[in-house]
Amino acid sequence: MTNIKKIWSWLWPILLGIAFVVIAKTFFVQAVNISGDSMYPNLQNQEKVLCFKHMAIKRESVIVFDSYGVDPVTKASKLYVKRVIGIPGDTIQAKKGEIFVNGHILNQNFISHNQRTKGTGNWSLTSLPTLYKWINYKTVVRVPKNTYFCLGDNRMISRDSRYFGFVPRNKILGVVKAPLWIKNKQRRDAINRQWQTPFE
């Protein structure tokens, strides 16, 4: 009996730790590996970040979503990491590198001037469905209910809402936060920021 007690004394903390990790990963947070350069320089290829499953999604939140059924080029489940630019009800327009949300200029200091001017393009929500032949949306003026308009920070190479339309809420796994092991504070701040100004 004494041996059983000894074994249990070191075994139960291990089991408790495993249970905690499983519960946390299932319901609250999970690590995500970045694949590709669509969020460069703020997130880099093969970098590991944390995805919080129940965190509120706001403008400028960086999110993880399953692109299968959202992006027509995705033929199986594949995670995309992008930045939310528009939430339900927003109007969005891009002109000469500036993005206007509900008529107000988005502060894009999280990317370079070159990324803004050369990569963003000139468009509006009304022009994109025709310009890029969206499958799921034909005519829109505002971001529809329960969906989000997302862009990659590296606009010149990012495949994002400009090309396939809106990201449904039920496809989003959670909000990305850059952990302390990303030692560059400027990059961490660019990922962890959220647009607080209510440009409604």
Side-chain angles (χ1 to χ4, degrees):
M1 184 65 87
T2 303
N3 287 337
I4 294 175
K5 286 184 177 180
K6 286 183 179 179
I7 293 171
W8 179 246
S9 69
W10 61 260
L11 183 60
W12 79 262
I14 295 174
L15 295 175
L16 186 63
I18 293 172
F20 177 80
V21 170
V22 170
I23 291 171
K25 184 175 180 180
T26 304
F27 298 105
F28 300 106
V29 62
Q30 73 179 77
V32 174
N33 286 317
I34 302 300
S35 177
D37 293 316
S38 72
M39 289 294 292
Y40 183 88
N42 297 315
L43 289 176
Q44 301 182 2
N45 189 35
Q46 299 305 309
E47 201 160 49
K48 189 182 291 291
V49 295
L50 298 176
C51 171
F52 291 84
K53 298 185 177 184
H54 298 290
M55 188 168 286
I57 300 170
K58 302 179 181 179
R59 299 185 191 93
E60 294 194 16
S61 294
V62 176
I63 61 169
V64 180
F65 65 93
D66 186 350
S67 63
Y68 182 65
V70 178
D71 186 354
V73 305
T74 304
K75 303 304 180 185
S77 182
K78 182 179 181 181
L79 298 182
Y80 280 12
V81 179
K82 306 292 178 185
R83 187 182 297 275
V84 173
I85 300 298
I87 63 175
D90 283 348
T91 62
I92 306 170
Q93 182 178 16
K95 187 176 182 181
K96 296 181 179 179
E98 299 285 4
I99 293 182
F100 298 83
V101 179
N102 299 329
H104 299 271
I105 295 178
L106 172 68
N107 181 355
Q108 299 182 81
N109 61 5
F110 50 84
I111 57 176
S112 69
H113 181 266
N114 187 57
Q115 285 176 299
R116 295 197 300 269
T117 55
K118 291 189 176 180
T120 303
N122 297 297
W123 44 262
S124 67
L125 289 185
T126 55
S127 69
L128 284 174
T130 301
L131 189 61
Y132 293 108
K133 298 179 172 58
W134 289 2
I135 293 175
N136 296 324
Y137 303 92
K138 301 301 181 184
T139 304
V140 291
V141 176
R142 298 177 180 273
V143 180
K145 183 179 179 180
N146 295 322
T147 68
Y148 297 84
F149 185 89
C150 304
L151 298 177
D153 286 355
N154 193 1
R155 306 269 170 79
M156 288 178 279
I157 70 165
S158 176
R159 184 167 177 85
D160 47 42
S161 286
R162 291 171 293 179
Y163 302 100
F164 52 72
F166 307 101
V167 179
R169 180 64 183 88
N170 63 8
K171 300 293 287 188
I172 298 173
L173 276 68
V175 175
V176 168
K177 292 298 177 183
L180 291 176
W181 59 69
I182 296 179
K183 296 182 179 180
N184 185 301
K185 184 178 184 301
Q186 184 175 350
R187 292 204 294 122
R188 285 204 315 270
D189 290 347
I191 295 302
N192 294 339
R193 65 186 278 156
Q194 305 222 49
W195 190 7
Q196 299 299 328
T197 306
F199 287 153
E200 307 301 342

